[in-house]
Structure formats: structure tokens, C-alpha cells
Amino acid sequence: EPSSADSVLVDPTTGIAAVAFKEGFSYLYKNVDTKEIKNLLKDKNISVDEWVNNNLKKPKVSCYFLCKKSLFFYHRLPHISV
């Protein structure tokens, strides 16, 4: 099933990626091919959704649920002066 990534954070030295999907769920991926992460960072023409589907759904990649987007993330705390 194709992904619909809202944002992607990657670390080419550790092979870790974090993806927030438009559906509201975020996941952490480990053992991502560092060469593919570097390609994503270099090539501005790569489709992020295509990259996610091609590189994060491999058997060697571990996937961990991080969180579900909620209204809490959008609530602004009042400014407190000290």
C-alpha cells in the first residue's frame, strides 16, 4: 500500500529514519540503507513517498510506532515571562 508521507527525518550515519504520515501516525525506522538515505538528501527530484515505499518497507528494516497526531500537538502554551 502506498504511503503518504507528511515529513521525513533521516540520519545517513545511523541508518535511522522517522516519518510522519498524513494520516496522523509517526514511525521510526532502523537499518535503513545509508546509501539510499544519502541519495534522498542529494537528489531533490526524488519523490519522498516513492522513496519511503521503496526503502522503508524492506524486510531488513525495523519499524517502530512513535505516536499518533492529536490536538495536543497543535495547542499553544501561553507565553510565560520570568
Side-chain angles (χ1 to χ4, degrees):
E1 178 174 315
S3 73
S4 184
D6 191 30
S7 62
V8 177
L9 299 171
V10 294
D11 185 339
T13 59
T14 62
I16 292 177
V19 182
F21 292 96
K22 292 178 182 171
E23 295 81 14
F25 297 97
S26 297
Y27 295 88
L28 179 74
Y29 297 88
K30 293 184 177 180
N31 299 321
V32 180
D33 187 333
T34 56
K35 180 181 154 211
E36 292 300 333
I37 290 175
K38 290 174 187 172
N39 287 341
L40 175 66
L41 294 172
K42 282 187 214 172
D43 187 350
K44 302 300 178 197
N45 295 318
I46 291 178
S47 160
V48 174
D49 286 334
E50 190 174 315
W51 186 89
V52 167
N53 286 321
N54 291 338
N55 294 285
L56 303 184
K57 296 184 177 183
K58 294 180 177 179
K60 72 170 191 146
V61 176
S62 302
C63 177
Y64 305 90
F65 175 75
L66 288 176
C67 62
K68 180 179 185 215
K69 191 185 315 182
S70 70
L71 293 176
F72 174 77
F73 292 118
Y74 298 107
H75 180 72
R76 282 192 177 269
L77 295 175
H79 177 73
I80 300 172
S81 299
V82 181

